[in-house]
Amino acid sequence: HVQLVESGGGSVKAGGSLRLSCKFSAPFREASRCMGWFRQPPGKQREGVAVRDTGMMGAPHIAYAEDVKGRFTISRDDDGFTLHLEMNSLKPEDTAMYYCAGSLDGRCVWEKYYLAPHVFTDWGQGTQVTVS
């Protein structure tokens, strides 16, 4: 399995911004079918935030959770190793442990599974984001 390491978390005031980064131990094209960001607020289950298909079968598909659309942007470096999550206009409800993940499960390309944590197979250790 590919190894993933997140960075960029921290504490920020409401309305502020943060940029999370995730470095893969192998190129995206070799490591996963889908990649993305998930978060787990205190006392709640993990939920999908932004997921990107690798686009090996065509143009990449990108899905965002409804409550982050227009505020968060998922992107990747041209080096093919680093995934980012640009977070703007942060709200207290965005407070959570954020995880980078990759999936080798073919189900991740199906629309109904775009933001489903259970189809992702590789996970980073997480980076805390606190908004107040």
Side-chain angles (χ1 to χ4, degrees):
H1 290 271
V2 65
Q3 294 181 325
L4 301 82
V5 180
E6 305 98 332
S7 63
S11 297
V12 64
K13 293 183 177 181
S17 301
L18 282 175
R19 187 192 193 206
L20 306 184
S21 297
C22 172
K23 183 166 291 184
F24 283 57
S25 63
F28 301 144
R29 298 179 182 178
E30 299 176 6
S32 59
R33 185 72 184 87
C34 304
M35 62 195 75
W37 293 92
F38 295 78
R39 66 186 180 187
Q40 187 164 12
K44 298 183 178 180
Q45 293 187 255
R46 195 167 301 184
E47 61 185 30
V49 175
V51 173
R52 188 183 196 279
D53 184 276
T54 54
M56 296 182 72
M57 296 293 108
H61 294 96
I62 300 176
Y64 293 98
E66 193 65 32
D67 60 351
V68 307
K69 289 181 178 178
R71 298 191 298 121
F72 292 10
T73 302
I74 187 171
S75 63
R76 68 177 188 179
D77 283 351
D78 290 338
D79 63 13
F81 285 85
T82 308
L83 187 70
H84 302 281
L85 183 68
E86 300 277 356
M87 304 186 293
N88 300 309
S89 301
L90 285 162
K91 306 173 181 179
E93 51 263 45
D94 292 318
T95 294
M97 181 69 76
Y98 282 70
Y99 298 90
C100 176
S103 179
L104 294 175
D105 190 324
R107 292 178 296 173
C108 75
V109 306
W110 293 98
E111 185 174 2
K112 65 184 295 184
Y113 295 118
Y114 279 173
L115 298 171
H118 70 274
V119 302
F120 279 74
T121 55
D122 300 299
W123 296 87
Q125 294 186 4
T127 184
Q128 180 67 41
V129 172
T130 302
V131 185
S132 62

